[in-house]
Amino acid sequence: MAIALGLIIAIILIKYKPTYKVTLAGKEIGYIKSEVELEDRIQKEIIQQEGKNIEFTSLNEMPSYELKLVSREQETDEDKIMLALKENTKVTYKYYSVILNEETIGHVDNIEEAEQAVQKIKEENADKTIPLDLRIAENFTENMEEIGIETVTVAQAQVEERVTALVEEDEKEKENESKKVNGILLANLPVNGTITSRYGAISNRRSGAHTGTDIACAKGTPIKAVAKGKVTFSGRSGSYGNLIKIDHGNGVETWYAHCSKLYKKVGNEVQAGDTIAAVGSTGNSTGNHLHLEIRVKGKAINPQKYLYK
């Protein structure tokens, strides 16, 4: 009996061999000689694989093994199985976002160079008054191609361009602040010309100190509203000649005198830069010029504190 059993086993071993069938997600993907050897390759080639910005890897599903006797003609192929497993692998990459004032400017993959660039930009703008919350945030993705990774040089140039724009905006805002009268921005020069008489000047042609600024220019030169508002006067007014007054709110008025023509009527709404009249020499005037007054609650102030500096 024992001899017969041994003979049967010998015949089986001659014709068949023990191997492991490998199944992934219920699908057979091949045969291997050793489960231990395959697991070792999985660890080295997949789980512990190294590459640029790879944070970690994992298999979406682990393979299962079943010991079977198969024909000795059945080939084993670990490389084929490893290829199938790698297609089932999830790779998580690390990248870094460059953020300026809570706005993401770009994404890079080199933290050391990014930190150096950020520090350089901060040092170059340390004396600026603009808000400069510049930082690097760590992020993760499974698809680096979708992120749009840039070189640190490109990201740095983009940040510097944005910082330059912020500086220019800040400087413009400061300039605008210097042009505000009681909260009203005097956004436009009424005319371009030569200052011929300043606020407060004394002359035998006047009964008192000059209440505005005179700007000489050619007859017919368009006169622009310095800010938005409503026309409250448009007509002849004694020594002012043809005069337009605009109420800008907050008690602020501008007066434009000695005009040759008046283009706006009482009640008209105007915007900064709108043409309201033309330069002339009407009224108490010795030549073509604009007499500009700025009044706050009826009191004349020096226009050159805000315009024609």
Side-chain angles (χ1 to χ4, degrees):
M1 185 69 176
I3 294 174
L5 180 61
L7 183 60
I8 292 172
I9 293 173
I11 293 172
I12 291 173
L13 291 177
I14 290 172
K15 192 172 182 180
Y16 300 95
K17 62 181 178 180
T19 60
Y20 289 91
K21 182 176 76 171
V22 183
T23 304
L24 183 66
K27 180 181 178 181
E28 179 183 307
I29 59 174
Y31 292 85
I32 58 172
K33 295 178 181 177
S34 170
E35 177 183 350
V36 173
E37 289 180 1
L38 182 65
E39 286 291 330
D40 185 58
R41 285 191 66 177
I42 291 173
Q43 285 296 318
K44 291 179 180 178
E45 297 179 29
I46 296 179
I47 305 302
Q48 298 173 1
Q49 70 172 297
E50 296 181 354
K52 189 172 184 179
N53 297 100
I54 292 179
E55 183 66 8
F56 58 85
T57 60
S58 62
L59 286 171
N60 292 323
E61 187 169 339
M62 295 299 293
S64 59
Y65 308 96
E66 181 182 357
L67 181 61
K68 298 181 72 70
L69 284 176
V70 299
S71 170
R72 287 192 173 274
E73 295 178 358
Q74 174 68 55
E75 296 181 353
T76 58
D77 189 350
E78 287 190 356
D79 291 339
K80 176 184 175 182
I81 291 171
M82 285 299 298
L83 181 60
L85 292 174
K86 287 178 180 178
E87 292 176 349
N88 186 55
T89 299
K90 180 172 70 176
V91 181
T92 300
Y93 300 90
K94 181 189 293 185
Y95 69 97
Y96 307 92
S97 299
V98 182
I99 300 174
L100 174 63
N101 298 339
E102 301 307 317
E103 178 186 359
T104 299
I105 305 300
H107 306 294
V108 299
D109 59 10
N110 189 310
I111 183 63
E112 291 81 10
E113 291 181 7
E115 287 177 338
Q116 292 173 6
V118 164
Q119 185 60 33
K120 179 176 180 290
I121 293 171
K122 286 182 176 180
E123 290 175 355
E124 290 176 346
N125 295 277
D127 60 340
K128 304 293 191 303
T129 59
I130 59 170
L132 191 59
D133 179 14
L134 183 58
R135 58 190 176 86
I136 299 171
E138 183 178 270
N139 293 299
F140 301 92
T141 182
E142 294 174 20
N143 191 337
M144 287 290 273
E145 293 182 359
E146 290 183 351
I147 300 303
I149 296 297
E150 303 168 328
T151 65
V152 172
T153 301
V154 169
Q156 180 178 346
Q158 292 175 339
V159 172
E160 289 173 340
E161 181 179 350
R162 195 65 57 86
V163 169
T164 298
L166 288 173
V167 170
E168 290 175 352
E169 289 174 8
D170 184 60
E171 291 174 348
K172 184 175 181 180
E173 181 61 28
K174 289 178 180 177
E175 181 182 356
N176 286 342
E177 284 298 320
S178 70
K179 293 180 180 179
K180 286 183 179 180
V181 179
N182 211 27
I184 302 299
L185 174 63
L186 307 184
N188 280 80
L189 290 176
V191 294
N192 290 311
T194 303
I195 304 296
T196 55
S197 182
R198 300 178 182 276
Y199 174 84
I202 303 298
S203 170
N204 56 16
R205 292 185 294 106
R206 306 185 185 95
S207 59
H210 197 205
T211 53
T213 298
D214 289 347
I215 308 102
C217 46
K219 181 179 181 179
T221 299
I223 299 171
K224 312 289 187 179
V226 300
K228 69 177 182 179
K230 178 183 285 189
V231 177
T232 57
F233 183 89
S234 180
R236 192 80 179 184
S237 181
S239 62
Y240 285 104
N242 291 329
L243 171 70
I244 276 191
K245 299 180 183 180
I246 300 177
D247 180 6
H248 303 287
N250 291 357
V252 179
E253 279 187 317
T254 49
W255 295 15
Y256 310 80
H258 307 307
C259 305
S260 60
K261 294 181 180 179
L262 303 175
Y263 299 134
K264 298 296 181 180
K265 298 178 180 180
V266 172
N268 286 166
E269 300 282 349
V270 297
Q271 298 296 318
D274 285 354
T275 298
I276 57 173
V279 169
S281 185
T282 58
N284 184 13
S285 171
T286 58
N288 293 308
H289 72 283
L290 168 66
H291 170 86
L292 172 68
E293 288 189 19
I294 300 174
R295 292 180 175 252
V296 178
K297 296 180 181 180
K299 182 179 179 180
I301 61 175
N302 185 358
Q304 285 189 262
K305 286 185 177 181
Y306 311 97
L307 301 169
Y308 302 104
K309 296 181 179 181

